Each structure stands twice: as structure tokens, then as C-alpha cells.
Amino acid sequence: MIKIENIEVTGWRHAIRGMRNPMNSWEKSNSCTQGSVWCNEFCENSIPECDKESGLYIGPNDLNLMKQLRSAGTDHRKFMRMIAVYLDITAPLYWWKEFDTYKVGTVANSCSTMHKIQAKEFDRGDFSHEHIPKGSGAYSDTWDIKTSGMFFCLNEEDGIYLSSEDILDCMIRALNHYREKYLVTGDKKYWWQMIQLLPSSYNQKRTIMLNYEVLANIYKSRRNHKLDEWVDFCKWIETLPYSVLITSRGEK
């Protein structure tokens, strides 16, 4: 599971101005980028191509130069590092572990498990579990459960099998048990039980700053990843203003 919200893309005017510095070609710029002001309302002439979502219109002169620099390689497309993207991401710890590969050009402030793990009662909504089989296998000895490979044998002699969902529920009950103990006693030994038992499916929220260059690296490497979260993240990248600069999709 991945949730993306509170998206803001900034820096277009600065990126366009900067990319024209090497050739002193500012007079060739024909974009209208006025932040929160719709370009149709700001520019002298109405522009049908104005992006109503971002209030952004990149003129053909600037867009062609951007594409040329993008294709020339990282040394030439420094303007992409100046287009900043801010967003909030909620995702499981196993996904954040891979996201943390991207250290250069990113900043993150996360909700703290160290300080706030005990702040609320745990429930299923705190964990990514969309691929976990539904239904309890406890006390069942049917042929399907024994042979499916999707159930854990807790006690074969008594025919007790647990589904993945059962195991998740047991983990949640254990975490809430130690949470209550910690809140009542303040004893750190119970806090350690929560910290060290917390599964990697636990969802954490972070506020992220990155840029179009980082997103280009992510898109290239992760769009066909086995994790659904990466596939969904790359689909979100495709929705950004002028995402063609990141993805090269639709170009020969």
C-alpha cells in the first residue's frame, strides 16, 4: 500500500531561466509560469495548452530545449535538479527501506516510531496487508489448508493451522498488550517489545522533498519492480506536470 498526497511542484521559472544562462538565450523563452496564478489569466494572450492543475505553460522553445538537455545526459540537464517536488507519502517500512537508497537530492521528515509508537492503539489499518490471504484457518484440518502452503501449522497433532491474517492479528494483539503495559508502568522493557516486534509491513508517513532528476532515476530503475508500491509510485510520476521530461514516454 502506498498513499501520496499534498503534492506541490515548484521552481519552474528558476529552472527555465537557469538553463538559458549558458547561451544567454533568455529572449527565446516563451513560457508562462506564475505559480498559483493561472497562465490563461496572467498571460497577455489566452493559452489553450495551459495546465489548469499546475497553472503552468511551457512554451515550445523552452520545452524543446529541455528535451534536448534531458537527452544529453545528467551533466547537461541540471535544470531538472531545480524543479522541486514536495509530497507526503504513507508506505510500509519494507518500501521505505528501498526508497532510502536515494540519498542525494532528497530530504525527508518522518513520523517517529521511536517517540510515538505508543501514541495510538494498533489496528490492521496501520499495516500493509493487501496480499495476505483472508479468513481464519484456526482449528481447521481441511485438505486445502494442509496443502495450500498459505497456512502456518501451529500444532499438526491437533490440526491447528493459522492463516497469514491470523498471524497478523496475533501480532497486533501482542503489540497492543505491550503498549498497554508500557502506558501503565512506563517500564522501557515493554517499549522494547513494540520496537523489536514491529513488522516491516507497518505504514509510516514521511514528508518528502525531491526533484525531477531524482524522479528520473527512480522511474528508470523502479517502474517494473516486483513491489506494487514502486509500480504505483511510478504511475504517479507520470501524472506530474510535463512528466515527459522524467519518463521520455511518447517520444521516439
Side-chain angles (χ1 to χ4, degrees):
M1 185 282 293
I2 187 168
K3 182 180 180 182
I4 300 171
E5 54 191 343
N6 299 323
I7 305 155
E8 184 178 356
V9 184
T10 65
W12 291 96
R13 280 181 293 171
H14 315 291
I16 292 171
R17 188 170 68 250
M19 79 173 180
R20 290 198 169 278
N21 285 348
M23 300 302 292
N24 296 354
S25 61
W26 311 287
E27 74 283 353
K28 294 182 180 179
S29 179
N30 59 351
S31 298
C32 186
T33 56
Q34 297 299 325
S36 61
V37 180
W38 298 133
C39 46
N40 268 351
E41 299 170 356
F42 181 85
C43 293
E44 295 180 2
N45 301 313
S46 179
I47 302 174
E49 297 87 352
C50 176
D51 185 337
K52 293 293 188 192
E53 288 293 323
S54 62
L56 176 69
Y57 170 72
I58 304 299
N61 291 352
D62 290 327
L63 187 58
N64 287 337
L65 180 56
M66 283 178 162
K67 290 179 180 179
Q68 291 173 25
L69 294 173
R70 187 272 324 279
S71 300
T74 56
D75 289 347
H76 299 277
R77 64 190 193 197
K78 293 189 288 291
F79 77 91
M80 291 183 64
R81 305 176 209 169
M82 301 180 72
I83 304 172
V85 184
Y86 296 85
L87 68 157
D88 290 345
I89 303 176
T90 303
L93 296 177
Y94 61 76
W95 184 81
W96 283 119
K97 181 173 63 175
E98 296 199 351
F99 179 86
D100 286 339
T101 299
Y102 301 96
K103 295 293 188 183
V104 178
T106 67
V107 180
N109 278 316
S110 63
C111 293
S112 174
T113 54
M114 294 296 105
H115 298 294
K116 302 297 290 184
I117 191 172
Q118 76 285 350
K120 65 174 287 294
E121 190 175 75
F122 295 93
D123 58 48
R124 286 189 188 178
D126 295 322
F127 304 88
S128 291
H129 60 280
E130 61 271 21
H131 293 293
I132 288 180
K134 305 293 183 183
S136 174
Y139 310 112
S140 177
D141 59 356
T142 65
W143 182 87
D144 286 339
I145 287 177
K146 285 187 174 181
T147 62
S148 70
M150 298 301 291
F151 291 84
F152 171 71
C153 181
L154 184 65
N155 187 324
E156 188 171 10
E157 183 177 339
D158 294 333
I160 299 177
Y161 291 79
L162 297 180
S163 68
S164 296
E165 189 175 61
D166 295 327
I167 296 171
L168 174 62
D169 288 340
C170 285
M171 179 64 70
I172 291 172
R173 289 181 64 184
L175 290 169
N176 282 326
H177 168 76
Y178 292 118
R179 173 181 177 270
E180 290 181 17
K181 290 285 189 181
Y182 177 68
L183 292 176
V184 171
T185 67
D187 193 327
K188 194 175 178 180
K189 70 181 180 182
Y190 297 119
W191 177 84
W192 273 114
Q193 306 313 301
M194 290 185 286
I195 289 295
Q196 295 195 333
L197 286 175
L198 192 69
S200 65
S201 60
Y202 182 72
N203 293 323
Q204 184 185 57
K205 181 178 181 178
R206 299 186 190 181
T207 297
I208 301 294
M209 184 195 78
L210 35 68
N211 58 57
Y212 268 38
E213 179 65 31
V214 175
L215 289 171
N217 293 334
I218 290 174
Y219 189 84
K220 179 181 178 181
S221 301
R222 305 284 179 167
R223 66 182 183 275
N224 296 316
H225 199 277
K226 65 172 64 176
L227 286 180
D228 292 348
E229 287 83 0
W230 278 122
V231 174
D232 291 341
F233 187 77
C234 289
K235 288 180 180 177
W236 166 77
I237 290 175
E238 295 172 2
T239 70
L240 288 170
Y242 295 92
S243 63
V244 65
L245 298 172
I246 300 171
T247 67
S248 302
R249 290 176 66 89
E251 294 188 348
K252 295 181 179 179

